[in-house]
Amino acid sequence: MPKILCVAEKPSIARAVAEHLAGQRPNSRHTGADYVMNYDFNFAFGPPWGNCSVTMTSVIGHLQTQDFAHAYRGWKSCSPGELFEAPIEHYVEDKKKAIADNIGREARYAKALFIWTDCDREGEYIGSEVSQIALKANPNLEVKRAKFSNIERAHVFRAAQNPIGLDERQVSAVAARIELDLRIGASFTRLQTLSIQPLGPELQNVISYGSCQFPTLGFVVDRYFRVRNFVPEMFWYIKVTHLRDDISVGFNWKRVHLFDRMAVTILFERCLASKTAKVTKVQTKPTSKWRPLPLTTVELQKLGSRLLGMDSQTVMKIAEELYTKGFISYPRTETDQFDRGMDLRALVEKQTVDRNWGAYAQGLLGGNFRQPRAGQNNDQAHPPIHPVAYVANNALPTDEHRRLYEFVVRRFLACCSEDAKGETTTIEIQFGDEIFHTHGLLVRERNYLDVYPYERWDSSQQLPDFTVGEQFIPTEATMLEGQTGPPGYLTEPELIALMDANGIGTDATMAEHIAKIKEREYVISRPRSEAARREGNGDGGAVRGRQGGRGQRGGRGPGGAGAGNGGGRGGRGTVQEFIPSTLGVALVEGYNNMGFEPSLSKPFLRKEMELKMKAICEGRKTRSGVVEESLGQYREVFIITSRRIDILKTVCEHPRLT
């Protein structure tokens, strides 16, 4: 019976796949490597392999390490600029040798190697590392990969019986990225650290540079100075209120506000002079609040931070654990559309046993199911994040695991639901020469909102009847003043959105880059609620006003009927915002002051690099061409930086924080 060696990316996946394919608990053997086991069983693969004996084992992430040749590894072994061309060695670290030896031994008598690493670029590269070790032991080995996005039993069977080849283009893209990150990161890190450390005892840590790390820091610093340098500006506006049927209706000015007090005064006096207002429009029409799109990695990180109060790194760590346990699909995906061939109803059915959302899931199966909306993105590798199996609340280890799993389930059920339905009423009046309006919302069918409490859409106060052409004397007309408010400091969801829009990192690495600038103490994070209490950010409200017309006249703040359409049920904790440290500000200011474009604190160079990686995956560029081109760009910036390093040193000695 021929033998097939299967290698997963992590021990938990190896065990889960082995148990599914074996149909029972497989025989296990120690490998000599901590946490890594060999599982032996028989399985009927598709042709041409047929019935085979199988050994399933795993690595633990990357098997090989890349570093400069030994002569270049010391901090002062060469000038930092030499690292752009220094030889690079690929080797298995001592702590991974037992894993590599196990793969070599098991591959020696195998007919084929099946790679079961995660189906993304990084997983493809790790699969290539595994195949290199295996092929050294058995050059005649046939190499295939299992394409899977979750470890549900039927899905694992399909992946085992329909293997494909490794995507060498993705392997080349990751190899190019690893080399570029090593050369660029090491050269700039050594230059910065060796230049800045002598400036003071508080600067003795490694002052690292990364081509994703610095643009991420740049976003935080840019927002910090926008807040600090903000100058409030006074504005004035007109508010009209009318009492009818014991309902006070606030009409908002169509111009919103103006920054010219005299102009608003003149317009206000004209309104008062006219005395009566005329109804020019009454419109009632159906409206909908759309159910959410299927869940991507970037959205999971943003919403996990905003709604659940977790930082993005924690979100991804827990999502990974839920995936390896078989509870959710692969959590690293750019896809926001479900393939129409997926049996989504079967996934909904698994949730019907839950006491909180089970009845809602049953209602979907009873006729309320709708095919989810399709977004614009499909990475052709993984479906959107969704629940694969039901797990009871008390079976999950922590509160964070429970809340994240609940969010994924509720998001999926909401995607499979009908949009919320309602009616909006818009009333416009002309008072003098000015137009004012008010809006009302009546929610008639909550639909997906019944299972997705993270969003709100509430009916407003009912508006009284108005008729087009009727005239009335407003109960109150007031001229009010306010002032513009600064933006808030950058929150984690906002930072992730900026990174995504500017191509900084991938959906799988953004959390790591954010964690790195925190670890290096370039930024600190704090709960936004604490900052709000201290800073009082936001637009100013009404202060006082001139009044006119008949009836009661009192200065009131902006109000009136409206539709609540934001916010939602938050998690425990609050969203985090980032404040740059003195060193973080100094590094960004230093590079900005050097005068070259684009600055290293801006996203443009890294975004261009990420586009080149995509081009490698699509076959439009080669690994060697991209490495040569990108190194040329960064080498030019490095030379300028070396010549102007005193600018960076000066800013680090005398940082600007206000």
Side-chain angles (χ1 to χ4, degrees):
M1 186 182 294
K3 174 182 176 180
I4 288 183
L5 173 62
C6 297
V7 182
E9 188 171 322
K10 47 186 78 73
S12 58
I13 297 296
R15 179 177 178 178
V17 171
E19 289 177 350
H20 284 323
L21 297 183
Q24 57 187 358
R25 189 163 187 171
N27 296 324
S28 61
R29 294 181 283 120
H30 291 286
T31 64
D34 291 340
Y35 311 113
V36 177
M37 300 291 290
N38 289 341
Y39 301 97
D40 299 317
F41 54 93
N42 296 330
F43 184 75
F45 290 91
W49 295 282
N51 291 324
C52 298
S53 68
V54 181
T55 295
M56 167 68 75
T57 189
S58 77
V59 293
I60 302 177
H62 282 278
L63 193 55
Q64 297 187 16
T65 297
Q66 296 77 37
D67 202 352
F68 297 108
H70 193 270
Y72 294 85
R73 292 182 193 173
W75 276 82
K76 297 182 180 180
S77 59
C78 64
S79 69
E82 292 181 55
L83 299 179
F84 279 96
E85 298 177 350
I88 292 177
E89 297 177 347
H90 300 252
Y91 59 93
V92 177
E93 289 184 294
D94 289 343
K95 64 182 180 181
K96 297 286 184 77
K97 282 184 177 178
I99 298 175
D101 291 343
N102 179 57
I103 291 172
R105 284 194 306 270
E106 298 299 329
R108 198 167 293 136
Y109 304 105
K111 181 179 180 180
L113 168 68
F114 278 23
I115 301 295
W116 285 81
T117 52
D118 294 339
C119 293
D120 56 15
R121 285 189 202 171
E122 211 71 24
E124 216 71 12
Y125 185 83
I126 294 171
S128 176
E129 293 178 331
V130 170
S131 68
Q132 290 175 32
I133 299 296
L135 288 169
K136 283 182 182 179
N138 182 356
N140 297 319
L141 202 62
E142 185 173 2
V143 179
K144 292 290 183 179
R145 84 110 66 236
K147 186 175 182 180
F148 66 106
S149 60
N150 64 69
I151 53 173
E152 188 265 334
R153 187 172 184 273
H155 189 74
V156 167
F157 266 68
R158 285 195 297 271
Q161 293 173 334
N162 298 278
I164 60 175
L166 275 174
D167 189 335
E168 294 298 336
R169 291 175 177 176
Q170 291 195 51
V171 173
S172 294
V174 175
R177 192 263 303 159
I178 289 174
E179 180 176 352
L180 289 171
D181 285 350
L182 176 60
R183 293 189 183 281
I184 296 167
S187 58
F188 277 95
T189 295
R190 288 192 192 179
L191 175 65
Q192 289 178 173
T193 303
L194 295 174
S195 299
I196 294 173
Q197 275 186 343
L199 300 180
E202 72 281 2
L203 297 170
Q204 295 309 298
N205 293 331
V206 172
I207 303 171
S208 66
Y209 171 84
S211 56
C212 286
Q213 184 186 138
F214 258 51
T216 303
L217 172 61
F219 291 133
V220 176
V221 173
D222 178 67
R223 177 66 70 86
Y224 172 81
F225 280 117
R226 284 178 57 196
V227 174
R228 288 299 186 186
N229 297 333
F230 182 83
V231 178
E233 190 174 358
M234 294 295 299
F235 60 77
W236 290 264
Y237 60 100
I238 303 170
K239 183 76 175 182
V240 174
T241 304
H242 188 61
L243 185 66
R244 174 171 292 188
D245 299 335
D246 294 325
I247 300 173
S248 180
V249 182
F251 292 89
N252 297 312
W253 196 17
K254 190 174 183 178
R255 298 179 191 264
V256 184
H257 58 243
L258 298 177
F259 294 98
D260 186 331
R261 184 177 185 276
M262 183 57 68
V264 177
T265 300
I266 293 172
L267 295 173
F268 180 59
E269 295 289 357
R270 289 177 179 174
C271 290
L272 297 182
S274 69
K275 296 185 179 180
T276 60
K278 181 179 180 180
V279 179
T280 57
K281 177 182 178 182
V282 177
Q283 182 182 60
T284 298
K285 60 181 181 180
T287 187
S288 298
K289 182 170 176 60
W290 289 354
R291 57 208 159 131
L293 285 168
L295 189 60
T296 65
T297 303
V298 170
E299 282 300 303
L300 177 66
Q301 293 176 82
K302 287 161 54 178
L303 295 176
S305 176
R306 183 167 65 86
L307 300 176
L308 306 180
M310 304 179 195
D311 64 64
S312 56
Q313 191 174 41
T314 300
V315 168
M316 294 310 299
K317 175 178 177 291
I318 293 174
E320 186 77 23
E321 291 170 0
L322 292 172
Y323 160 67
T324 57
K325 292 291 186 182
F327 300 142
I328 68 172
S329 62
Y330 189 58
R332 303 181 189 277
T333 177
E334 299 174 9
T335 301
D336 57 4
Q337 51 187 254
F338 282 106
D339 186 278
R340 286 196 171 267
M342 284 187 67
D343 189 354
L344 301 182
R345 286 181 173 83
L347 296 174
V348 172
E349 185 175 10
K350 294 180 180 182
Q351 300 298 326
T352 56
V353 297
D354 187 84
R355 65 180 183 180
N356 292 315
W357 56 79
Y360 186 89
Q362 191 65 55
L364 292 181
L365 297 177
N368 296 329
F369 178 88
R370 298 292 182 271
Q371 183 67 24
R373 294 167 56 205
Q376 301 297 315
N377 305 298
N378 191 332
D379 60 16
Q380 302 297 324
H382 300 287
I385 303 166
H386 62 275
V388 173
Y390 174 73
V391 56
N393 198 41
N394 57 10
L396 292 170
T398 70
D399 181 61
E400 290 178 326
H401 286 78
R402 289 187 282 272
R403 289 190 290 128
L404 191 63
Y405 177 75
E406 177 180 351
F407 173 75
V408 171
V409 172
R410 288 183 179 275
R411 175 76 172 219
F412 172 70
L413 295 177
C415 289
C416 298
S417 304
E418 182 64 83
D419 297 337
K421 305 288 187 181
E423 287 182 351
T424 59
T425 299
T426 300
I427 301 171
E428 282 190 0
I429 63 171
Q430 182 175 346
F431 189 30
D433 295 327
E434 300 305 303
I435 302 297
F436 299 82
H437 58 81
T438 189
H439 299 282
L441 170 68
L442 176 62
V443 177
R444 294 197 175 277
E445 300 175 29
R446 288 180 51 80
N447 296 328
Y448 85 88
L449 291 170
D450 285 333
V451 78
Y452 197 68
Y454 311 99
E455 293 181 1
R456 290 182 56 198
W457 201 48
D458 299 324
S459 296
S460 65
Q461 182 185 37
Q462 183 178 355
L463 294 176
D465 291 333
F466 286 86
T467 304
V468 174
E470 75 164 285
Q471 297 186 12
F472 62 89
I473 299 174
T475 306
E476 180 181 13
T478 312
M479 177 177 162
L480 303 165
E481 66 181 25
Q483 65 178 19
T484 56
Y489 294 113
L490 201 63
T491 64
E492 187 160 24
E494 291 171 332
L495 179 56
I496 292 170
L498 283 170
M499 294 172 72
D500 183 45
N502 288 277
I504 302 304
T506 65
D507 55 0
T509 62
M510 289 178 189
E512 297 171 14
H513 301 315
I514 294 173
K516 181 61 68 175
I517 63 173
K518 292 164 65 177
E519 175 190 330
R520 293 299 188 195
E521 297 182 349
Y522 295 161
V523 304
I524 61 171
S525 62
R526 68 184 187 188
R528 164 150 281 194
S529 58
E530 174 190 337
R533 287 194 300 269
R534 237 182 359 249
E535 301 286 346
N537 291 339
D539 285 348
V543 179
R544 60 181 179 81
R546 294 178 57 193
Q547 303 115 25
R550 299 181 186 175
Q552 296 180 351
R553 301 287 186 257
R556 299 188 193 175
N565 197 10
R569 185 181 78 171
R572 296 172 193 177
T574 55
V575 67
Q576 298 288 304
E577 64 181 10
F578 297 111
I579 312 294
S581 66
T582 301
L583 178 59
V585 170
L587 290 172
V588 170
E589 290 282 283
Y591 280 110
N592 288 348
N593 291 346
M594 288 185 186
F596 49 73
E597 288 293 338
S599 170
L600 292 180
S601 69
K602 303 300 181 185
F604 309 115
L605 281 176
R606 182 65 197 203
K607 182 175 184 178
E608 185 177 341
M609 188 190 298
E610 291 290 348
L611 291 173
K612 291 173 183 175
M613 300 304 153
K614 186 176 181 181
I616 294 176
C617 293
E618 295 172 351
R620 296 184 286 110
K621 286 184 178 290
T622 64
R623 169 189 170 182
S624 59
V626 166
V627 169
E628 182 179 355
E629 185 179 351
S630 296
L631 285 180
Q633 291 177 308
Y634 277 94
R635 185 185 289 109
E636 182 179 343
V637 175
F638 181 86
I639 292 171
I640 297 173
T641 301
S642 300
R643 292 172 181 168
R644 302 178 183 176
I645 195 65
D646 285 343
I647 295 175
L648 182 61
K649 292 164 67 175
T650 298
V651 174
C652 287
E653 281 187 296
H654 308 288
R656 178 173 72 96
L657 281 176
T658 57

